PDB file of all heavy atoms in Angstrom:
ATOM      1  N   GLU A  17       0.854  -1.222  -0.113  1.00 90.00           N
ATOM      2  CA  GLU A  17      -0.031   0.103  -0.078  1.00 90.00           C
ATOM      3  C   GLU A  17       0.954   1.275   0.049  1.00 90.00           C
ATOM      4  O   GLU A  17       1.729   1.405   0.887  1.00 90.00           O
ATOM      5  CB  GLU A  17      -0.930  -0.072   1.297  1.00 90.00           C
ATOM      6  CG  GLU A  17      -1.640   1.154   1.432  1.00 90.00           C
ATOM      7  CD  GLU A  17      -2.509   1.270   2.721  1.00 90.00           C
ATOM      8  OE1 GLU A  17      -2.216   0.303   3.548  1.00 90.00           O
ATOM      9  OE2 GLU A  17      -3.186   2.330   3.025  1.00 90.00           O
ATOM     10  N   SER A  18       0.677   2.101  -0.903  1.00 89.00           N
ATOM     11  CA  SER A  18       1.387   3.308  -0.948  1.00 89.00           C
ATOM     12  C   SER A  18       0.844   4.323  -0.009  1.00 89.00           C
ATOM     13  O   SER A  18      -0.336   4.617   0.154  1.00 89.00           O
ATOM     14  CB  SER A  18       1.207   3.959  -2.446  1.00 89.00           C
ATOM     15  OG  SER A  18       1.880   5.309  -2.451  1.00 89.00           O
ATOM     16  N   LEU A  19       1.787   4.870   0.843  1.00 90.00           N
ATOM     17  CA  LEU A  19       1.398   5.900   1.960  1.00 90.00           C
ATOM     18  C   LEU A  19       1.861   7.277   1.468  1.00 90.00           C
ATOM     19  O   LEU A  19       1.751   8.220   2.232  1.00 90.00           O
ATOM     20  CB  LEU A  19       2.134   5.437   3.163  1.00 90.00           C
ATOM     21  CG  LEU A  19       1.782   4.175   3.758  1.00 90.00           C
ATOM     22  CD1 LEU A  19       2.506   3.900   5.054  1.00 90.00           C
ATOM     23  CD2 LEU A  19       0.366   3.861   3.868  1.00 90.00           C
ATOM     24  N   GLY A  20       2.282   7.411   0.175  1.00 88.00           N
ATOM     25  CA  GLY A  20       2.752   8.772  -0.323  1.00 88.00           C
ATOM     26  C   GLY A  20       4.279   8.890  -0.034  1.00 88.00           C
ATOM     27  O   GLY A  20       4.839   8.233   0.720  1.00 88.00           O
ATOM     28  N   ASP A  21       4.935  10.010  -0.680  1.00 88.00           N
ATOM     29  CA  ASP A  21       6.313  10.355  -0.500  1.00 88.00           C
ATOM     30  C   ASP A  21       7.286   9.141  -0.736  1.00 88.00           C
ATOM     31  O   ASP A  21       8.284   8.982  -0.254  1.00 88.00           O
ATOM     32  CB  ASP A  21       6.549  10.833   0.893  1.00 88.00           C
ATOM     33  CG  ASP A  21       5.892  12.135   1.092  1.00 88.00           C
ATOM     34  OD1 ASP A  21       5.723  12.863   0.064  1.00 88.00           O
ATOM     35  OD2 ASP A  21       5.366  12.371   2.234  1.00 88.00           O
ATOM     36  N   GLY A  22       6.823   8.161  -1.637  1.00 91.00           N
ATOM     37  CA  GLY A  22       7.615   7.074  -2.038  1.00 91.00           C
ATOM     38  C   GLY A  22       7.721   5.933  -0.897  1.00 91.00           C
ATOM     39  O   GLY A  22       8.564   5.130  -1.042  1.00 91.00           O
ATOM     40  N   ILE A  23       6.732   5.958   0.049  1.00 94.00           N
ATOM     41  CA  ILE A  23       6.663   5.045   1.157  1.00 94.00           C
ATOM     42  C   ILE A  23       5.662   4.028   0.924  1.00 94.00           C
ATOM     43  O   ILE A  23       4.487   4.382   0.518  1.00 94.00           O
ATOM     44  CB  ILE A  23       6.554   5.790   2.483  1.00 94.00           C
ATOM     45  CG1 ILE A  23       7.693   6.806   2.628  1.00 94.00           C
ATOM     46  CG2 ILE A  23       6.608   4.713   3.709  1.00 94.00           C
ATOM     47  CD1 ILE A  23       7.490   7.637   3.800  1.00 94.00           C
ATOM     48  N   TYR A  24       5.956   2.627   1.221  1.00 94.00           N
ATOM     49  CA  TYR A  24       4.932   1.683   0.957  1.00 94.00           C
ATOM     50  C   TYR A  24       4.918   0.698   2.167  1.00 94.00           C
ATOM     51  O   TYR A  24       5.995   0.491   2.770  1.00 94.00           O
ATOM     52  CB  TYR A  24       5.209   0.783  -0.280  1.00 94.00           C
ATOM     53  CG  TYR A  24       5.278   1.500  -1.632  1.00 94.00           C
ATOM     54  CD1 TYR A  24       6.249   2.252  -2.013  1.00 94.00           C
ATOM     55  CD2 TYR A  24       4.045   1.353  -2.447  1.00 94.00           C
ATOM     56  CE1 TYR A  24       6.172   2.950  -3.220  1.00 94.00           C
ATOM     57  CE2 TYR A  24       4.049   2.003  -3.634  1.00 94.00           C
ATOM     58  CZ  TYR A  24       5.057   2.806  -4.015  1.00 94.00           C
ATOM     59  OH  TYR A  24       5.172   3.461  -5.224  1.00 94.00           O
ATOM     60  N   ARG A  25       3.809   0.346   2.624  1.00 94.00           N
ATOM     61  CA  ARG A  25       3.602  -0.715   3.592  1.00 94.00           C
ATOM     62  C   ARG A  25       3.560  -2.039   2.853  1.00 94.00           C
ATOM     63  O   ARG A  25       2.690  -2.213   2.082  1.00 94.00           O
ATOM     64  CB  ARG A  25       2.361  -0.441   4.559  1.00 94.00           C
ATOM     65  CG  ARG A  25       2.272  -1.516   5.547  1.00 94.00           C
ATOM     66  CD  ARG A  25       0.967  -1.461   6.326  1.00 94.00           C
ATOM     67  NE  ARG A  25       0.958  -2.407   7.345  1.00 94.00           N
ATOM     68  CZ  ARG A  25       1.136  -2.185   8.691  1.00 94.00           C
ATOM     69  NH1 ARG A  25       1.507  -0.973   9.081  1.00 94.00           N
ATOM     70  NH2 ARG A  25       1.072  -3.222   9.536  1.00 94.00           N
ATOM     71  N   VAL A  26       4.488  -2.872   3.129  1.00 93.00           N
ATOM     72  CA  VAL A  26       4.768  -4.068   2.287  1.00 93.00           C
ATOM     73  C   VAL A  26       3.676  -5.112   2.636  1.00 93.00           C
ATOM     74  O   VAL A  26       3.435  -5.616   3.872  1.00 93.00           O
ATOM     75  CB  VAL A  26       6.075  -4.621   2.515  1.00 93.00           C
ATOM     76  CG1 VAL A  26       6.338  -5.975   1.852  1.00 93.00           C
ATOM     77  CG2 VAL A  26       7.211  -3.708   1.976  1.00 93.00           C
ATOM     78  N   ASP A  27       2.957  -5.697   1.624  1.00 91.00           N
ATOM     79  CA  ASP A  27       1.951  -6.804   1.761  1.00 91.00           C
ATOM     80  C   ASP A  27       2.695  -8.111   1.312  1.00 91.00           C
ATOM     81  O   ASP A  27       2.269  -9.152   1.679  1.00 91.00           O
ATOM     82  CB  ASP A  27       0.832  -6.448   0.972  1.00 91.00           C
ATOM     83  CG  ASP A  27       0.026  -5.292   1.514  1.00 91.00           C
ATOM     84  OD1 ASP A  27      -0.001  -5.121   2.733  1.00 91.00           O
ATOM     85  OD2 ASP A  27      -0.504  -4.625   0.641  1.00 91.00           O
ATOM     86  N   ASP A  28       3.473  -8.022   0.248  1.00 89.00           N
ATOM     87  CA  ASP A  28       4.007  -9.230  -0.472  1.00 89.00           C
ATOM     88  C   ASP A  28       5.421  -8.933  -0.866  1.00 89.00           C
ATOM     89  O   ASP A  28       5.778  -7.792  -1.185  1.00 89.00           O
ATOM     90  CB  ASP A  28       3.114  -9.555  -1.560  1.00 89.00           C
ATOM     91  CG  ASP A  28       3.545 -10.884  -2.136  1.00 89.00           C
ATOM     92  OD1 ASP A  28       4.050 -11.750  -1.386  1.00 89.00           O
ATOM     93  OD2 ASP A  28       3.214 -11.126  -3.280  1.00 89.00           O
ATOM     94  N   MET A  29       6.302  -9.915  -0.733  1.00 89.00           N
ATOM     95  CA  MET A  29       7.624  -9.919  -1.275  1.00 89.00           C
ATOM     96  C   MET A  29       8.073 -11.183  -1.857  1.00 89.00           C
ATOM     97  O   MET A  29       7.713 -12.266  -1.285  1.00 89.00           O
ATOM     98  CB  MET A  29       8.672  -9.590  -0.010  1.00 89.00           C
ATOM     99  CG  MET A  29       8.355  -8.476   0.751  1.00 89.00           C
ATOM    100  SD  MET A  29       9.593  -8.275   2.178  1.00 89.00           S
ATOM    101  CE  MET A  29      10.809  -7.354   1.274  1.00 89.00           C
ATOM    102  N   VAL A  30       8.649 -11.204  -3.025  1.00 87.00           N
ATOM    103  CA  VAL A  30       9.092 -12.333  -3.739  1.00 87.00           C
ATOM    104  C   VAL A  30      10.476 -12.212  -4.234  1.00 87.00           C
ATOM    105  O   VAL A  30      10.815 -11.208  -4.762  1.00 87.00           O
ATOM    106  CB  VAL A  30       8.164 -12.593  -5.037  1.00 87.00           C
ATOM    107  CG1 VAL A  30       8.579 -13.874  -5.650  1.00 87.00           C
ATOM    108  CG2 VAL A  30       6.638 -12.629  -4.516  1.00 87.00           C
ATOM    109  N   GLU A  31      11.246 -13.278  -4.026  1.00 86.00           N
ATOM    110  CA  GLU A  31      12.708 -13.195  -4.456  1.00 86.00           C
ATOM    111  C   GLU A  31      12.845 -13.711  -5.906  1.00 86.00           C
ATOM    112  O   GLU A  31      12.380 -14.888  -6.136  1.00 86.00           O
ATOM    113  CB  GLU A  31      13.565 -14.003  -3.495  1.00 86.00           C
ATOM    114  CG  GLU A  31      15.071 -13.997  -3.859  1.00 86.00           C
ATOM    115  CD  GLU A  31      15.615 -12.693  -3.753  1.00 86.00           C
ATOM    116  OE1 GLU A  31      15.191 -11.772  -2.832  1.00 86.00           O
ATOM    117  OE2 GLU A  31      16.643 -12.394  -4.431  1.00 86.00           O
ATOM    118  N   LYS A  32      13.370 -12.968  -6.776  1.00 88.00           N
ATOM    119  CA  LYS A  32      13.699 -13.413  -8.148  1.00 88.00           C
ATOM    120  C   LYS A  32      12.498 -14.021  -8.770  1.00 88.00           C
ATOM    121  O   LYS A  32      12.598 -15.176  -9.298  1.00 88.00           O
ATOM    122  CB  LYS A  32      14.908 -14.200  -8.118  1.00 88.00           C
ATOM    123  CG  LYS A  32      16.180 -13.507  -7.718  1.00 88.00           C
ATOM    124  CD  LYS A  32      17.296 -14.455  -7.724  1.00 88.00           C
ATOM    125  CE  LYS A  32      18.636 -13.726  -7.424  1.00 88.00           C
ATOM    126  NZ  LYS A  32      18.761 -13.183  -6.073  1.00 88.00           N
ATOM    127  N   PRO A  33      11.342 -13.160  -8.768  1.00 89.00           N
ATOM    128  CA  PRO A  33      10.173 -13.983  -9.445  1.00 89.00           C
ATOM    129  C   PRO A  33      10.280 -13.974 -10.949  1.00 89.00           C
ATOM    130  O   PRO A  33      11.033 -13.082 -11.651  1.00 89.00           O
ATOM    131  CB  PRO A  33       8.908 -13.043  -9.172  1.00 89.00           C
ATOM    132  CG  PRO A  33       9.668 -11.709  -9.020  1.00 89.00           C
ATOM    133  CD  PRO A  33      11.049 -11.958  -8.463  1.00 89.00           C
ATOM    134  N   ALA A  34       9.627 -14.881 -11.802  1.00 89.00           N
ATOM    135  CA  ALA A  34       9.434 -14.726 -13.099  1.00 89.00           C
ATOM    136  C   ALA A  34       8.692 -13.572 -13.426  1.00 89.00           C
ATOM    137  O   ALA A  34       7.836 -13.060 -12.606  1.00 89.00           O
ATOM    138  CB  ALA A  34       8.844 -15.993 -13.639  1.00 89.00           C
ATOM    139  N   GLN A  35       8.807 -12.951 -14.634  1.00 88.00           N
ATOM    140  CA  GLN A  35       8.096 -11.742 -14.994  1.00 88.00           C
ATOM    141  C   GLN A  35       6.615 -11.889 -14.775  1.00 88.00           C
ATOM    142  O   GLN A  35       5.861 -10.994 -14.243  1.00 88.00           O
ATOM    143  CB  GLN A  35       8.356 -11.399 -16.459  1.00 88.00           C
ATOM    144  CG  GLN A  35       7.714 -10.012 -16.861  1.00 88.00           C
ATOM    145  CD  GLN A  35       8.223  -9.591 -18.225  1.00 88.00           C
ATOM    146  OE1 GLN A  35       9.318  -9.969 -18.677  1.00 88.00           O
ATOM    147  NE2 GLN A  35       7.334  -8.934 -18.966  1.00 88.00           N
ATOM    148  N   GLU A  36       6.023 -12.973 -15.129  1.00 88.00           N
ATOM    149  CA  GLU A  36       4.594 -13.224 -14.999  1.00 88.00           C
ATOM    150  C   GLU A  36       4.135 -13.280 -13.552  1.00 88.00           C
ATOM    151  O   GLU A  36       2.919 -13.258 -13.218  1.00 88.00           O
ATOM    152  CB  GLU A  36       3.936 -14.340 -15.843  1.00 88.00           C
ATOM    153  CG  GLU A  36       4.684 -15.715 -15.599  1.00 88.00           C
ATOM    154  CD  GLU A  36       6.021 -16.104 -16.198  1.00 88.00           C
ATOM    155  OE1 GLU A  36       6.627 -14.975 -16.689  1.00 88.00           O
ATOM    156  OE2 GLU A  36       6.372 -17.211 -16.258  1.00 88.00           O
ATOM    157  N   ASP A  37       4.997 -13.706 -12.630  1.00 86.00           N
ATOM    158  CA  ASP A  37       4.688 -13.831 -11.264  1.00 86.00           C
ATOM    159  C   ASP A  37       5.047 -12.654 -10.317  1.00 86.00           C
ATOM    160  O   ASP A  37       4.692 -12.645  -9.124  1.00 86.00           O
ATOM    161  CB  ASP A  37       5.470 -15.088 -10.684  1.00 86.00           C
ATOM    162  CG  ASP A  37       4.989 -16.336 -11.486  1.00 86.00           C
ATOM    163  OD1 ASP A  37       3.842 -16.468 -11.849  1.00 86.00           O
ATOM    164  OD2 ASP A  37       5.969 -17.355 -11.551  1.00 86.00           O
ATOM    165  N   ALA A  38       5.646 -11.666 -10.956  1.00 88.00           N
ATOM    166  CA  ALA A  38       6.022 -10.536 -10.134  1.00 88.00           C
ATOM    167  C   ALA A  38       4.802  -9.638  -9.656  1.00 88.00           C
ATOM    168  O   ALA A  38       4.030  -9.343 -10.497  1.00 88.00           O
ATOM    169  CB  ALA A  38       6.994  -9.726 -10.995  1.00 88.00           C
ATOM    170  N   PRO A  39       4.880  -9.394  -8.426  1.00 88.00           N
ATOM    171  CA  PRO A  39       3.727  -8.523  -7.938  1.00 88.00           C
ATOM    172  C   PRO A  39       3.760  -7.129  -8.285  1.00 88.00           C
ATOM    173  O   PRO A  39       2.739  -6.403  -8.200  1.00 88.00           O
ATOM    174  CB  PRO A  39       3.802  -8.836  -6.329  1.00 88.00           C
ATOM    175  CG  PRO A  39       5.234  -9.068  -6.104  1.00 88.00           C
ATOM    176  CD  PRO A  39       5.851  -9.778  -7.292  1.00 88.00           C
ATOM    177  N   SER A  40       4.922  -6.645  -8.739  1.00 91.00           N
ATOM    178  CA  SER A  40       4.958  -5.304  -9.244  1.00 91.00           C
ATOM    179  C   SER A  40       6.476  -5.154  -9.895  1.00 91.00           C
ATOM    180  O   SER A  40       7.059  -6.103 -10.031  1.00 91.00           O
ATOM    181  CB  SER A  40       5.034  -4.219  -8.036  1.00 91.00           C
ATOM    182  OG  SER A  40       6.166  -4.278  -7.230  1.00 91.00           O
ATOM    183  N   ASN A  41       6.850  -4.041 -10.164  1.00 91.00           N
ATOM    184  CA  ASN A  41       8.248  -3.778 -10.772  1.00 91.00           C
ATOM    185  C   ASN A  41       8.910  -2.885  -9.611  1.00 91.00           C
ATOM    186  O   ASN A  41      10.021  -2.289 -10.004  1.00 91.00           O
ATOM    187  CB  ASN A  41       8.143  -2.998 -12.058  1.00 91.00           C
ATOM    188  CG  ASN A  41       7.660  -1.671 -11.958  1.00 91.00           C
ATOM    189  OD1 ASN A  41       6.950  -1.260 -10.979  1.00 91.00           O
ATOM    190  ND2 ASN A  41       8.183  -0.708 -12.825  1.00 91.00           N
ATOM    191  N   LEU A  42       8.576  -2.955  -8.421  1.00 93.00           N
ATOM    192  CA  LEU A  42       9.371  -2.361  -7.379  1.00 93.00           C
ATOM    193  C   LEU A  42      10.367  -3.249  -6.760  1.00 93.00           C
ATOM    194  O   LEU A  42      10.025  -4.120  -5.914  1.00 93.00           O
ATOM    195  CB  LEU A  42       8.317  -1.841  -6.246  1.00 93.00           C
ATOM    196  CG  LEU A  42       7.322  -0.793  -6.690  1.00 93.00           C
ATOM    197  CD1 LEU A  42       6.409  -0.505  -5.619  1.00 93.00           C
ATOM    198  CD2 LEU A  42       8.040   0.595  -7.102  1.00 93.00           C
ATOM    199  N   ALA A  43      11.572  -3.059  -7.103  1.00 94.00           N
ATOM    200  CA  ALA A  43      12.757  -3.934  -6.784  1.00 94.00           C
ATOM    201  C   ALA A  43      13.528  -3.509  -5.545  1.00 94.00           C
ATOM    202  O   ALA A  43      13.753  -2.379  -5.420  1.00 94.00           O
ATOM    203  CB  ALA A  43      13.621  -4.124  -7.881  1.00 94.00           C
ATOM    204  N   ILE A  44      13.935  -4.470  -4.716  1.00 95.00           N
ATOM    205  CA  ILE A  44      14.549  -4.202  -3.568  1.00 95.00           C
ATOM    206  C   ILE A  44      16.109  -4.087  -3.988  1.00 95.00           C
ATOM    207  O   ILE A  44      16.578  -4.843  -4.693  1.00 95.00           O
ATOM    208  CB  ILE A  44      14.456  -5.299  -2.513  1.00 95.00           C
ATOM    209  CG1 ILE A  44      12.994  -5.470  -2.034  1.00 95.00           C
ATOM    210  CG2 ILE A  44      15.376  -4.975  -1.259  1.00 95.00           C
ATOM    211  CD1 ILE A  44      12.835  -6.720  -1.280  1.00 95.00           C
ATOM    212  N   ILE A  45      16.862  -2.993  -3.517  1.00 95.00           N
ATOM    213  CA  ILE A  45      18.183  -2.862  -3.847  1.00 95.00           C
ATOM    214  C   ILE A  45      18.974  -2.954  -2.494  1.00 95.00           C
ATOM    215  O   ILE A  45      18.373  -3.140  -1.454  1.00 95.00           O
ATOM    216  CB  ILE A  45      18.535  -1.465  -4.512  1.00 95.00           C
ATOM    217  CG1 ILE A  45      18.077  -0.313  -3.668  1.00 95.00           C
ATOM    218  CG2 ILE A  45      17.659  -1.498  -5.863  1.00 95.00           C
ATOM    219  CD1 ILE A  45      19.293   0.381  -3.234  1.00 95.00           C
ATOM    220  N   GLY A  46      20.299  -2.837  -2.612  1.00 94.00           N
ATOM    221  CA  GLY A  46      21.108  -3.239  -1.443  1.00 94.00           C
ATOM    222  C   GLY A  46      21.184  -2.251  -0.189  1.00 94.00           C
ATOM    223  O   GLY A  46      22.390  -1.995   0.149  1.00 94.00           O
ATOM    224  N   ARG A  47      19.996  -1.793   0.268  1.00 96.00           N
ATOM    225  CA  ARG A  47      20.019  -1.045   1.538  1.00 96.00           C
ATOM    226  C   ARG A  47      18.827  -1.504   2.373  1.00 96.00           C
ATOM    227  O   ARG A  47      17.805  -1.588   1.837  1.00 96.00           O
ATOM    228  CB  ARG A  47      19.821   0.455   1.166  1.00 96.00           C
ATOM    229  CG  ARG A  47      20.907   1.183   0.317  1.00 96.00           C
ATOM    230  CD  ARG A  47      22.274   1.232   1.105  1.00 96.00           C
ATOM    231  NE  ARG A  47      23.254   1.884   0.266  1.00 96.00           N
ATOM    232  CZ  ARG A  47      23.984   1.325  -0.629  1.00 96.00           C
ATOM    233  NH1 ARG A  47      23.852   0.007  -0.990  1.00 96.00           N
ATOM    234  NH2 ARG A  47      24.854   2.051  -1.348  1.00 96.00           N
ATOM    235  N   TYR A  48      19.109  -1.833   3.576  1.00 97.00           N
ATOM    236  CA  TYR A  48      18.034  -2.294   4.427  1.00 97.00           C
ATOM    237  C   TYR A  48      18.274  -1.757   5.943  1.00 97.00           C
ATOM    238  O   TYR A  48      19.375  -1.402   6.293  1.00 97.00           O
ATOM    239  CB  TYR A  48      18.134  -3.719   4.678  1.00 97.00           C
ATOM    240  CG  TYR A  48      18.110  -4.671   3.476  1.00 97.00           C
ATOM    241  CD1 TYR A  48      19.275  -4.788   2.743  1.00 97.00           C
ATOM    242  CD2 TYR A  48      17.050  -5.336   3.097  1.00 97.00           C
ATOM    243  CE1 TYR A  48      19.302  -5.617   1.569  1.00 97.00           C
ATOM    244  CE2 TYR A  48      17.019  -6.170   1.964  1.00 97.00           C
ATOM    245  CZ  TYR A  48      18.104  -6.267   1.184  1.00 97.00           C
ATOM    246  OH  TYR A  48      18.077  -7.141   0.140  1.00 97.00           O
ATOM    247  N   ILE A  49      17.279  -1.403   6.520  1.00 97.00           N
ATOM    248  CA  ILE A  49      17.276  -1.318   8.063  1.00 97.00           C
ATOM    249  C   ILE A  49      16.385  -2.385   8.565  1.00 97.00           C
ATOM    250  O   ILE A  49      15.290  -2.519   8.182  1.00 97.00           O
ATOM    251  CB  ILE A  49      16.777   0.113   8.474  1.00 97.00           C
ATOM    252  CG1 ILE A  49      17.918   1.194   8.094  1.00 97.00           C
ATOM    253  CG2 ILE A  49      16.466   0.086  10.024  1.00 97.00           C
ATOM    254  CD1 ILE A  49      17.465   2.553   8.412  1.00 97.00           C
ATOM    255  N   LEU A  50      17.007  -3.184   9.463  1.00 97.00           N
ATOM    256  CA  LEU A  50      16.388  -4.370  10.060  1.00 97.00           C
ATOM    257  C   LEU A  50      16.198  -4.302  11.522  1.00 97.00           C
ATOM    258  O   LEU A  50      17.199  -3.879  12.279  1.00 97.00           O
ATOM    259  CB  LEU A  50      17.134  -5.477   9.761  1.00 97.00           C
ATOM    260  CG  LEU A  50      17.415  -5.801   8.111  1.00 97.00           C
ATOM    261  CD1 LEU A  50      18.199  -7.074   8.001  1.00 97.00           C
ATOM    262  CD2 LEU A  50      16.112  -6.001   7.436  1.00 97.00           C
ATOM    263  N   THR A  51      15.196  -4.787  12.022  1.00 96.00           N
ATOM    264  CA  THR A  51      14.970  -4.771  13.571  1.00 96.00           C
ATOM    265  C   THR A  51      15.527  -6.141  13.965  1.00 96.00           C
ATOM    266  O   THR A  51      15.560  -7.137  13.166  1.00 96.00           O
ATOM    267  CB  THR A  51      13.525  -4.619  13.944  1.00 96.00           C
ATOM    268  OG1 THR A  51      12.768  -5.598  13.218  1.00 96.00           O
ATOM    269  CG2 THR A  51      12.978  -3.297  13.625  1.00 96.00           C
ATOM    270  N   PRO A  52      15.964  -6.301  15.212  1.00 95.00           N
ATOM    271  CA  PRO A  52      16.756  -7.562  15.629  1.00 95.00           C
ATOM    272  C   PRO A  52      15.869  -8.815  15.602  1.00 95.00           C
ATOM    273  O   PRO A  52      16.593  -9.853  15.569  1.00 95.00           O
ATOM    274  CB  PRO A  52      17.192  -7.204  17.054  1.00 95.00           C
ATOM    275  CG  PRO A  52      16.260  -6.008  17.474  1.00 95.00           C
ATOM    276  CD  PRO A  52      15.926  -5.353  16.293  1.00 95.00           C
TER     277      PRO A  52
END
């Protein structure tokens, strides 16, 4: 869900999907902040 200003609340994540299975074209790049 888009919350505006380029921010999304994630509902689904798929690693390396086939084009027909991709939930969007919003790709994760190599920056994360993770909780422990």
Side-chain angles (χ1 to χ4, degrees):
E17 176 190 359
S18 173
L19 304 181
D21 297 323
I23 302 169
Y24 297 79
R25 184 184 178 100
V26 174
D27 297 324
D28 191 21
M29 307 178 81
V30 183
E31 181 66 25
K32 296 181 174 61
Q35 182 172 331
E36 60 272 16
D37 298 326
S40 74
N41 70 330
L42 296 174
I44 302 169
I45 65 105
R47 301 292 185 277
Y48 306 77
I49 287 180
L50 303 176
T51 51

